[in-house]
């Protein structure tokens, strides 16, 4: 169960970092690279959905209600297992995370 949660977090982290990078590239005017990176993100997104489903299916019912948190290894902020991709991108592109 813990390894499934870690898998979801790892995939979510990859997606968040790529979204932050794509946003940065777009802001710098590298639109083609940004779009290519956004297209690249589709595969990890489907992997994340599948990993989340596996995780949920293997949890006892009462534990589904609890929020699953993990500490960011870079800046020590809490990341939720169910954070959406936009929130993760905001985290990985944020000042606190980038400052470390």
């Amino acid at each position: 169960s813990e390894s499934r949660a870690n898998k979801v977090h790892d995939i979510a982290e990859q997606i968040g970092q790529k979204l932050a990078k794509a946003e940065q590239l777009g802001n710098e005017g590298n639109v083609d690279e940004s779009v290519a990176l956004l297209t690249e993100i589709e595969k990890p997104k489907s992997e994340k959905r599948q990993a989340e489903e596996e995780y949920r299916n293997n949890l006892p019912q009462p534990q589904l209600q609890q929020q699953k948190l993990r500490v960011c290894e870079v800046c020590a902020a809490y990341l939720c297992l169910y954070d959406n991709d936009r929130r993760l991108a905001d985290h990985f592109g944020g000042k606190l995370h980038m400052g470390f």
Side-chain angles (χ1 to χ4, degrees):
S1 173
E2 191 66 31
S3 67
R4 285 188 178 102
N6 286 336
K7 181 178 179 183
V8 173
H9 277 294
D10 292 342
I11 295 170
E13 229 173 273
Q14 291 172 5
I15 292 170
Q17 288 172 347
K18 285 184 179 185
L19 279 172
K21 180 69 174 166
E23 188 174 324
Q24 179 185 355
L25 288 169
N27 289 339
E28 293 170 356
N30 300 322
V31 178
D32 292 337
E33 290 177 46
S34 177
V35 170
L37 199 54
L38 288 173
T39 306
E40 213 178 278
I41 292 172
E42 290 308 312
K43 184 178 182 230
K45 276 186 176 182
S46 66
E47 289 175 7
K48 180 182 176 221
R49 280 190 293 274
Q50 184 178 354
E52 284 175 335
E53 195 171 311
E54 286 176 21
Y55 178 72
R56 278 191 214 110
N57 290 340
N58 289 303
L59 273 183
Q61 204 58 24
Q63 282 192 332
L64 277 175
Q65 305 303 320
Q66 296 176 358
Q67 195 176 38
K68 297 295 175 185
L69 298 174
R70 181 169 140 187
V71 176
C72 176
E73 293 176 11
V74 176
C75 67
Y78 282 113
L79 301 174
C80 178
L81 180 65
Y82 304 115
D83 278 347
N84 65 32
D85 300 333
R86 181 74 243 153
R87 183 170 162 80
L88 289 168
D90 288 345
H91 167 79
F92 290 110
K95 292 177 186 172
L96 181 66
H97 185 85
M98 299 297 281
F100 284 92

